Amino acid sequence: MNDQEILLEDALLLVEQNFYFLHMGEFFGKLSKTEDFTNRSLFVVKKYENEKAYYFNAELIHELLLNAQKSAKDEISLFEYFVEFNAFRGICMAMVESLRFESSFKTYMQELFHEQYENFFDIVSFVRNVLSHNIHSEIRLSQKDFDGTLKRIRRMGRDSKVFFNFAYALSLPELGAPNEAYSFTCKIDFESLEEGMPFLEILSMWDLMMLSELCFNLVMTYRMQEEKKV
């Protein structure tokens, strides 16, 4: 493989790994709410080369476990919050980077999405930007989160009201969707976005979860298609 092919493979692998991480993190998040780990040894040490070691703070671990126990079943704990948003960011970042290359993967995506391809790219770029730049506890928008995408839309002469709809049964029947209506739908009016707007009022946690799943499924089906060529 040449350098570009190696970078593309790394990006696709990151999409997959972050989705795995999201699932494992959610499992441990649920477990931390239902099981009491505070009475167990919280001593954690990581050993490195040259006999170096890093000792993790057991008191911090204890605090996070207490936070999880105090969280209601349907309430997000601090641990789950960081698991989810780090996974969302990692998946969208890797997807954006993978589509920067002129490759068989980009061609696959363009042929699958047709006129919706640019809309999909705008959405994952927006999520990547927000979650990479954000330092606000409520995840509020900054100008740089959407300004570049809006300028790109204007430059291409496209509608700023970006709409994307992907029906699994219609476009990826080989995956065996849970039902005929299973889909991901998203609409963002980039012209109406303003600094300070709450991100989760534009895309909900459900939207982010479904977008992440779609990215993972796209990588998986692309790999399936490539295997058939061999």
Side-chain angles (χ1 to χ4, degrees):
M1 290 193 294
N2 59 39
D3 289 346
Q4 180 173 301
E5 290 171 336
I6 292 172
L7 288 173
L8 173 63
E9 175 59 26
D10 287 346
L12 298 181
L13 188 59
L14 271 177
V15 172
E16 295 172 310
Q17 290 172 330
N18 273 282
F19 197 65
Y20 296 149
F21 167 75
L22 176 62
H23 279 65
M24 184 60 80
E26 292 292 349
F27 169 75
F28 279 114
K30 178 182 179 181
L31 196 65
S32 65
K33 290 178 179 178
T34 58
E35 302 291 331
D36 184 8
F37 294 109
T38 57
N39 58 356
R40 301 190 184 188
S41 172
L42 303 181
F43 175 77
V44 179
V45 60
K46 290 283 290 187
K47 295 183 178 180
Y48 300 93
E49 57 186 16
N50 300 324
E51 299 184 354
K52 293 180 180 179
Y54 184 86
Y55 296 84
F56 290 84
N57 192 317
E59 292 182 6
L60 295 181
I61 297 172
H62 186 265
E63 286 183 21
L64 287 171
L65 288 171
L66 290 178
N67 173 267
Q69 288 179 4
K70 293 175 182 176
S71 301
K73 181 180 179 181
D74 297 324
E75 181 185 5
I76 189 169
S77 68
L78 189 60
F79 174 75
E80 290 169 318
Y81 176 90
F82 280 97
V83 163
E84 291 175 7
F85 279 104
N86 275 287
F88 297 153
R89 178 181 59 196
I91 289 168
C92 289
M93 177 274 294
M95 180 57 72
V96 168
E97 293 305 316
S98 71
L99 295 175
R100 294 194 188 282
F101 301 113
E102 295 299 328
S103 68
S104 57
F105 177 67
K106 183 175 181 178
T107 300
Y108 168 74
M109 297 282 279
Q110 290 172 327
E111 292 176 349
L112 182 66
F113 290 153
H114 301 294
E115 70 279 359
Q116 291 199 105
Y117 172 79
E118 298 297 344
N119 290 0
F120 175 80
F121 186 82
D122 289 338
I123 292 166
V124 290
S125 295
F126 174 61
V127 175
R128 188 278 305 267
N129 290 344
V130 173
L131 299 185
S132 296
H133 300 151
N134 178 72
I135 57 172
H136 197 289
S137 61
E138 295 179 355
I139 316 183
R140 293 186 177 273
L141 301 189
S142 67
Q143 190 74 26
K144 61 184 176 181
D145 292 334
F146 56 88
D147 193 53
T149 299
L150 180 57
K151 288 178 180 177
R152 176 177 179 271
I153 291 171
R154 289 171 176 168
R155 192 166 58 247
M156 297 175 73
R158 294 167 46 231
D159 191 344
S160 66
K161 294 182 176 66
V162 170
F163 178 76
F164 181 82
N165 179 61
F166 187 85
Y168 279 88
L170 181 64
S171 299
L172 288 180
E174 63 268 33
L175 281 184
N179 55 66
E180 289 293 316
Y182 199 73
S183 63
F184 170 67
T185 301
C186 177
K187 185 176 182 179
I188 303 174
D189 183 357
F190 281 90
E191 202 73 60
S192 69
L193 299 182
E194 297 178 357
E195 185 144 357
M197 291 179 69
F199 174 60
L200 291 178
E201 289 185 8
I202 301 162
L203 289 171
S204 68
M205 293 295 286
W206 165 254
D207 293 330
L208 294 169
M209 200 69 75
M210 293 297 288
L211 176 60
S212 297
E213 179 189 57
L214 176 59
C215 290
F216 174 78
N217 285 334
L218 291 168
V219 174
M220 293 293 289
T221 51
Y222 165 73
R223 292 196 187 284
M224 289 165 56
Q225 176 181 280
E226 291 299 295
E227 287 176 3
K228 290 180 182 178
K229 294 179 182 179
V230 178

